[in-house]
Amino acid sequence: MTIGDITPKKERKSRRSKHVVDDTAPLLPKRQEEDAGYDEFNGASFTGAVFNLSTTIVGAGIMALPATMKVLGLILGIAMIIFMAFLTDASIEFLLRFSRAGKTTSYGSLMGDAFGKYGRIFLQICVLVNNIGVLIVYMIIIGDVLSGTSSSGVHHAGVLEGWFGEHWWNGRTFVLIVTTLGIFSPLACFKRIDSLRFTSALSVALAVVFLVITVGIAIIKLISGTIMMPRLLPDVTDLTSFWRLFTVVPVLVTAYICHYNVHSIDNELEDSTQIKPVVRTALALCSTVYIMTSFFGFLLFGDSTLDDVLANFDTDLGIPYGSLLNDAVRVSYAAHLMLVFPIVFYPLRLNMDGLLFPSARPLALSNTRFTFTTVGLITLIFLGANFIPSIWDAFQFTGATAAVCLGFIFPAAVTLR
């Protein structure tokens, strides 16, 4: 199935022992075109669905959230994170409600049902722009963490540079080539999203490791009295500083965008009535992680917080084993992003195929299309990560265009329609 598939499908509460062989099959069919037997897939579990959706949500956006606290202050910043969580829940509720009413099984088919072929195509383009932008951000962060970055004329050393010194093999381009070929490409070859449930669980665990270490460092520094009181409200002194408040909106929007994966996860659930609890559990988990990361990240670095807070963890923390903790924070989150990559790449590939080959058989049944689409997209993302200078630039573009359409404009438009 591509996201553009508009053939209606009968709603079902349980998918156990149900095999699908027509063109509306949500992912890899449970039986090949020939009568070759079953693959023992009886539907995704509640826990696996929560991990996959949480992994879709908690990506690179979390690294820019402490910088939003620098702009908004702690009180307004945390309030905006909570508000965006409720807004996201409402928009996903709209999508699911009208998908059930129209018996559609994808975001694209819902848009096609409401606005015709051009509505579906516009949605697919937005998914492409958003997901390519997000995956480029992932690669930029991984390059920053492992190979270092420069900001305002100050060089922040990467982990490999700190361990081994500056060499050609730990330069940004070579490190990203190795990461792409050794990690991204193999993980991108899975044809069913539920196959990634274990890497999703590991990625969530790594995000929690990052959070626990950050909280621990902040508490130690609070006890020792080396942390200044952070700003609680935005510092608005002139018109320029006022307009700067709005630059955080794309980052906050991007932080919660998961709408393009909701239908894929719903289609694989053993019990489709669980999708609403899955969404709310994932949003609650991610919001907690977001609030704690934003609070303690800004508490640690204050007005020195960089757009990518991971780059701040190359300085002397002034605590025992500070260097080791710095490296643990950066490596754990870089590993998290490597495992998030295939979850976001999955709908990107489906939508690219649906845009280029709208009438073709399911992508999972064509190894040639699957291979060429995968290779082409990974190459494009790799090139973007080497030529776009900052994650803030990427967030500003995707968050202000495609992400806001996917998350809020399209669900509202479908509801009004």
Side-chain angles (χ1 to χ4, degrees), residues 36-340:
Y38 293 88
D39 65 354
E40 302 300 326
F41 179 68
N42 293 319
S45 66
F46 178 87
T47 304
V50 169
F51 279 135
N52 279 335
L53 190 59
S54 299
T55 302
T56 305
I57 299 171
V58 179
I62 191 175
M63 293 299 99
L65 287 177
T68 67
M69 300 298 108
K70 182 172 70 172
V71 177
L72 296 176
L74 281 179
I75 294 177
L76 185 57
I78 291 174
M80 285 299 297
I81 290 174
I82 296 171
F83 172 74
M84 290 302 299
F86 281 104
L87 198 61
T88 301
D89 179 60
S91 64
I92 293 175
E93 165 69 21
F94 290 152
L95 290 182
L96 293 172
R97 182 192 308 171
F98 291 104
S99 293
R100 296 283 191 266
K103 293 182 169 58
T104 55
T105 57
S106 72
Y107 200 165
S109 60
L110 179 62
M111 285 292 289
D113 190 45
F115 299 103
K117 179 179 73 172
Y118 294 107
R120 172 180 57 80
I121 291 174
F122 189 31
L123 172 78
Q124 290 173 324
I125 292 172
C126 286
V127 172
L128 294 182
V129 172
N130 179 76
N131 289 28
I132 288 174
V134 167
L135 293 176
I136 286 174
V137 168
Y138 290 1
M139 277 204 185
I140 291 173
I141 291 178
I142 291 168
D144 290 349
V145 169
L146 299 180
S147 299
T149 185
S150 297
S151 177
S152 303
V154 179
H155 181 68
H156 298 270
V159 172
L160 296 178
E161 189 178 344
W163 288 351
F164 305 106
E166 190 172 348
H167 300 282
W168 65 269
W169 51 266
N170 58 21
R172 185 187 196 88
T173 301
F174 187 77
V175 166
L176 289 181
I177 289 174
V178 172
T179 304
T180 299
L181 296 178
I183 299 176
F184 294 152
S185 297
L187 290 177
C189 291
F190 288 106
K191 294 183 177 181
R192 177 182 290 125
I193 197 168
D194 189 61
S195 301
L196 298 167
R197 63 189 181 278
F198 298 115
T199 58
S200 294
L202 180 57
S203 71
V204 172
L206 287 168
V208 172
V209 168
F210 159 79
L211 178 60
V212 168
I213 296 174
T214 303
V215 171
I217 294 171
I219 291 175
I220 291 172
K221 297 192 65 139
L222 273 173
I223 294 173
S224 64
T226 56
I227 288 183
M228 301 289 293
M229 179 66 183
R231 272 191 300 107
L232 300 180
L233 296 171
D235 183 17
V236 180
T237 57
D238 53 26
L239 190 60
T240 302
S241 59
F242 172 76
W243 289 117
R244 188 166 177 263
L245 297 178
F246 294 94
T247 64
V248 306
V249 173
V251 178
L252 291 168
V253 168
T254 304
Y256 279 104
I257 293 300
C258 60
H259 304 64
Y260 50 80
N261 253 356
V262 170
H263 287 87
S264 294
I265 292 170
D266 181 29
N267 290 337
E268 290 192 0
L269 268 176
E270 183 178 10
D271 180 2
S272 64
T273 61
Q274 291 184 323
I275 186 60
K276 290 181 182 178
V278 164
V279 171
R280 287 172 181 168
T281 302
L283 285 173
L285 174 63
C286 296
S287 298
T288 303
V289 172
Y290 280 171
I291 290 170
M292 294 184 70
T293 301
S294 302
F295 177 80
F296 287 103
F298 183 51
L299 191 64
L300 269 178
F301 302 110
D303 288 334
S304 299
T305 304
L306 298 174
D307 296 343
D308 174 8
V309 74
L310 281 181
N312 283 108
F313 285 95
D314 72 329
T315 57
D316 182 9
L317 295 175
I319 61 175
Y321 306 106
S323 177
L324 179 62
L325 292 173
N326 273 338
D327 290 346
V329 165
R330 293 191 288 173
V331 170
S332 64
Y333 210 80
H336 164 78
L337 291 182
M338 292 176 189
L339 299 177
V340 172

